[in-house]
């Protein structure tokens, strides 16, 4: 089973700064199987990125995804107040189903 | 507007059963694979189970296999999760999620807001 490890666990930044979130897999993950979500308390998770680098419909271009193999990155170029949330990476493991990283909490510094 | 609404959560004693439902609206339910994902208090997201559009293929997370059963009724646009032998560790917010169409990419493109299950005596 592929395990996803996200780092850092908590990222403290100010609005306007750049945020870089990491997702590392224990085995190689095909890019088309890698997605990122934003989750705020009391809300449904929101799809940000799929296929490692494709923004979902309606997602601002300050969000970008990159990476391949075992290392993937979500970058938020200029943080807006509404971007402070928990972010999860997710991979599809075929017959093993899906797995999520443990999440990165992006908090206001 | 496409929407998923979960129901059926509540307080249940350890060892008892509970059945969750997810009502889909605003899209053609029977062409999508569907899933359940949960989030325990203070924890991250955990995939629970999923099934294909015609229920031909079903999958479970290891810790849920044998206790939980996922099913769907395409005529009622509904997804279900039958949970048996519940444990305190099953306490979580349970989300219904839709898998994207196409088969080229794999992700969930629509989520509900969840239903809370609390397992406690």
């Amino acid at each position: 089973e592929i395990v996803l490890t996200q780092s850092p666990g908590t990222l403290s930044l100010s609005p306007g700064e750049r945020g870089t979130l990491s997702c590392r897999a224990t085995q190689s993950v095909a890019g088309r199987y890698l997605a990122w979500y934003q989750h705020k308390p009391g809300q449904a998770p929101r799809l940000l990125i799929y296929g490692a680098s494709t923004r979902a419909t309606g997602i601002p271009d300050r969000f970008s995804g990159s990476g391949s193999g075992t290392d993937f990155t979500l970058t938020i170029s200029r943080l807006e107040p509404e971007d402070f949330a928990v972010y999860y990476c997710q991979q599809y493991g075929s017959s093993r189903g899906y797995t999520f990283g443990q999440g990165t909490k992006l908090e206001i510094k | 507007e496409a929407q998923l609404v979960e129901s059926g959560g509540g307080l249940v004693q350890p060892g008892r059963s509970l059945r969750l439902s997810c009502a889909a609206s605003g899209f053609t339910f029977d062409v999508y694979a569907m899933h359940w994902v949960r989030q325990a208090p203070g924890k991250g997201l955990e995939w629970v189970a999923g099934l294909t559009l015609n229920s031909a293929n079903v999958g479970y997370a290891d810790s849920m296999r044998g206790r939980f059963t996922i099913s769907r009724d395409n005529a009622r646009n509904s997804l279900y999760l039958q949970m048996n032998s519940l444990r305190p560790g099953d306490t979580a917010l349970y989300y219904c999620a839709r898998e994207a169409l196409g088969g080229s990419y794999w992700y969930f493109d629509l989520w509900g807001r969840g239903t809370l299950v609390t397992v406690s005596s």
Side-chain angles (χ1 to χ4, degrees), chain B residues 12-101:
Chain B
V12 61
Q13 292 180 328
R16 304 298 291 266
S17 298
L18 203 61
R19 188 195 197 206
L20 306 183
S21 299
C22 170
S25 60
F27 65 97
T28 305
F29 179 72
D30 61 6
V31 302
Y32 287 90
M34 298 295 297
H35 298 261
W36 288 98
V37 176
R38 72 182 184 182
Q39 183 179 31
K43 303 295 185 181
L45 299 175
E46 179 184 26
W47 178 75
V48 172
L51 79 173
T52 52
L53 56 95
N54 58 4
S55 304
N57 291 296
V58 179
Y60 298 92
D62 289 343
S63 60
M64 272 69 84
R65 188 176 293 113
R67 297 190 302 124
F68 290 8
T69 302
I70 187 173
S71 63
R72 66 192 295 164
D73 184 339
N74 288 341
R76 296 180 183 271
N77 290 336
S78 293
L79 179 72
Y80 306 102
L81 185 68
Q82 177 68 41
M83 304 185 294
N84 298 331
S85 303
L86 282 163
R87 308 163 178 167
D90 295 318
T91 294
L93 189 59
Y94 284 75
Y95 295 98
C96 172
R98 185 181 77 178
E99 184 179 288
L101 280 177

Side-chain angles (χ1 to χ4, degrees), chain A residues 37-53:
Chain A
Y37 300 87
Q38 178 191 70
H39 194 199
K40 297 180 180 179
Q43 297 185 17
R46 177 192 184 195
L47 174 69
L48 297 175
I49 301 286
Y50 65 91
S53 61

